[in-house]
Amino acid sequence: LRTFFLWNLPNLLLLQPLVNGALVAAVRQIRQQQPLQPLQALQTALRAWKGLLGAHGLFWLPAGGVGVFAYWVFEQTRTSPGQLLGGMLMIALVAGFLYYWWVRWSFLSQVIIEEGCGPAAAFSRSSGLVAGHWWRAFGLSTLLSTLPSLLDNLLTLAGPWAVSVGQSLTAPLGTLGMTLLYWELRGRGEGG
């Protein structure tokens, strides 16, 4: 828990929205055939940081609440194997429901940076982009989140420093891939 509160939570809620926003802005520069200017991309993300932070906070709040509740239930109760199986099935159902919405809201950073939406409007706009293309967004987001996780597990064999280096190299892949899908879906929806 100490590692979670000292590194993972601040990274998830503060650093990750900023980095994702900068990556989205960098992809825009490349799409417009401009020279890549990382500092300008970071400045774009900093201008939209409140929106990015708000959207990521709202995005992770339900999942975090379910995780904390599940942890509390398993720690506080002594259950029989049948009750444990039933509880795990309930958690799987809730996790499936959350994952459905996670895919629907997978373009929050892109919508905030590219379209200037606020946090609340970004959720509906992202859902609108995914509508009719849910399975495609599901497949790509699952692939882009699973492969880095597998790499992280392999890197644990080399040591904790290797995991940190590996995460910093693979974390941008998800944002880059989803940004490219965002542009494709946006072009289809606007007749482009």
Side-chain angles (χ1 to χ4, degrees), residues 9-134:
L9 190 61
N11 179 42
L12 182 69
L13 294 178
L14 300 174
L15 190 59
Q16 187 179 11
L18 186 62
V19 170
N20 288 348
L23 285 170
V24 171
V27 169
R28 179 194 322 154
Q29 291 172 355
I30 293 169
R31 276 191 89 248
Q32 294 174 345
Q33 298 178 347
Q34 298 173 349
L36 182 61
Q37 298 176 350
L39 187 57
Q40 185 181 21
L42 185 59
Q43 289 172 342
T44 301
L46 281 170
R47 283 191 297 273
W49 190 67
K50 286 182 184 177
L52 291 166
L53 182 63
H56 275 75
L58 292 171
F59 179 83
W60 287 108
L61 188 63
V66 168
V68 168
F69 179 71
Y71 177 77
W72 180 80
V73 167
F74 285 124
E75 286 295 316
Q76 298 299 319
T77 60
R78 302 284 183 228
T79 60
S80 69
Q83 290 171 322
L84 184 63
L85 180 62
M88 290 173 68
L89 288 173
M90 285 297 284
I91 290 172
L93 287 173
V94 170
F97 177 76
L98 287 174
Y99 195 71
Y100 168 79
W101 286 103
W102 186 69
V103 170
R104 298 260 330 228
W105 297 334
S106 58
F107 298 124
L108 294 176
S109 296
Q110 291 82 359
V111 169
I112 289 170
I113 294 292
E114 295 297 334
E115 300 177 24
C117 290
F123 285 92
S124 62
R125 176 67 175 138
S126 178
S127 291
L129 285 166
V130 172
H133 305 283
W134 189 88

Side-chain angles (χ1 to χ4, degrees), residues 112-164:
I112 289 170
I113 294 292
E114 295 297 334
E115 300 177 24
C117 290
F123 285 92
S124 62
R125 176 67 175 138
S126 178
S127 291
L129 285 166
V130 172
H133 305 283
W134 189 88
W135 285 107
R136 193 162 183 205
F138 167 79
L140 186 61
S141 67
T142 301
L143 179 69
L144 291 173
S145 62
T146 303
L147 290 178
S149 298
L150 293 173
L151 180 62
D152 286 346
N153 288 332
L154 290 175
L155 289 174
T156 57
L157 300 173
W161 60 271
V163 174
S164 298

